[in-house]
Amino acid sequence: SISTILELNQDKSYVLRYSYEGKSEDQFIKEGEWDVQKNTLTLEGLDYQYKINPDYLIQLDLAGNEIKGDIAEKYQLSRVK
C-alpha cells in the first residue's frame, strides 16, 4: 500500500509525501501551492483534487468524481493535528 502525508501550510504552500510501505524506504515528494474552491482542495502540479470533509479528505478521480466501491476508503486522508 501507499502511505500518503499531506501537509497544508497557512501560507498556501503544501508538501505531499508518498512512500510504498513494505517495498521501499524512498519517499516521493511534491511541493507547490494549494487552493480551496467550493469545498474542493486543489494542489498545484497534480491532476486530481480532494473533496473536503470535516475530519478527512477524499481524493477525487481525474473527472472530479468520488472513487466508489471497495477501494474508496484507500483514497481518504485522515486529519492529523
Side-chain angles (χ1 to χ4, degrees):
S1 68
I2 300 172
S3 172
T4 305
I5 298 173
L6 173 60
E7 181 180 325
L8 299 175
N9 301 306
Q10 289 185 351
D11 67 356
K12 296 262 186 176
S13 67
Y14 78 86
V15 180
L16 181 63
R17 294 179 178 88
Y18 294 109
S19 60
Y20 292 90
E21 293 181 349
K23 293 190 178 188
S24 172
E25 293 186 23
D26 294 341
Q27 274 195 353
F28 300 92
I29 299 173
K30 188 87 170 166
E31 297 179 279
E33 293 185 2
W34 61 268
D35 188 42
V36 172
Q37 291 185 11
K38 296 182 183 178
N39 227 28
T40 302
L41 172 66
T42 301
L43 303 177
E44 173 187 71
L46 294 184
D47 294 334
Y48 52 86
Q49 298 174 310
Y50 291 92
K51 179 179 176 185
I52 300 171
N53 284 309
D55 295 319
Y56 59 94
L57 299 174
I58 299 173
Q59 182 180 323
L60 303 176
D61 66 17
L62 296 178
N65 301 309
E66 284 188 43
I67 297 166
K68 303 285 185 192
D70 295 342
I71 62 168
E73 68 181 32
K74 294 183 184 288
Y75 291 89
Q76 293 181 2
L77 296 181
S78 300
R79 176 180 225 155
V80 178
K81 296 180 181 182

